[in-house]
């Protein structure tokens, strides 16, 4: 995969205001091993449990790499268990 071609460091900060709302922010930066191109990724999001056994997650990601167009992604996830 393309992730095995990266040498990066990263950090994540998660805040739990209550079990129903957990925002987070993460950042990683490094280089692509094969080309030496710089790489960075930022992510903001939150997880929420409003109904028993159901988790909602929203996240925004920004990825930047030298010589490649910067991309923004938005993702909504809904998961349940029973």
């Amino acid at each position: 995969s393309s992730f095995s071609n990266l040498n990066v460091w990263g950090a994540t900060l998660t805040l739990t205001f209550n079990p129903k709302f957990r925002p987070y922010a993460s950042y990683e930066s490094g280089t692509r091993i094969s080309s030496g191109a710089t790489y960075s990724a930022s992510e903001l999001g939150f997880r929420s449990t409003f109904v028993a056994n159901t988790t909602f997650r929203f996240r925004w990601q920004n990825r930047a790499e030298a010589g490649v167009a910067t991309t923004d992604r938005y993702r909504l996830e809904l998961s349940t268990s029973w």
Side-chain angles (χ1 to χ4, degrees):
S1 79
S2 65
F3 293 108
S4 63
N5 188 26
L6 292 173
N7 183 18
V8 299
W9 65 270
T12 300
L13 173 65
T14 302
L15 303 171
T16 301
F17 294 111
N18 63 54
K20 294 184 178 187
F21 185 67
R22 298 175 311 229
Y24 66 91
S26 64
Y27 178 79
E28 64 182 28
S29 179
T31 58
R32 186 155 307 275
I33 296 168
S34 61
S35 65
T38 58
Y39 169 87
S40 66
S42 303
E43 183 172 328
L44 297 173
F46 69 88
R47 289 180 176 87
S48 182
T49 304
F50 289 109
V51 179
N53 302 323
T54 302
T55 301
F56 174 76
R57 180 179 178 190
F58 171 78
R59 66 182 181 171
W60 164 81
Q61 292 178 319
N62 175 275
R63 293 184 181 174
E65 184 173 345
V68 179
T70 299
T71 57
D72 288 304
R73 294 185 342 174
Y74 300 89
R75 178 179 280 179
L76 297 173
E77 299 173 14
L78 181 65
S79 59
T80 60
S81 60
W82 61 92

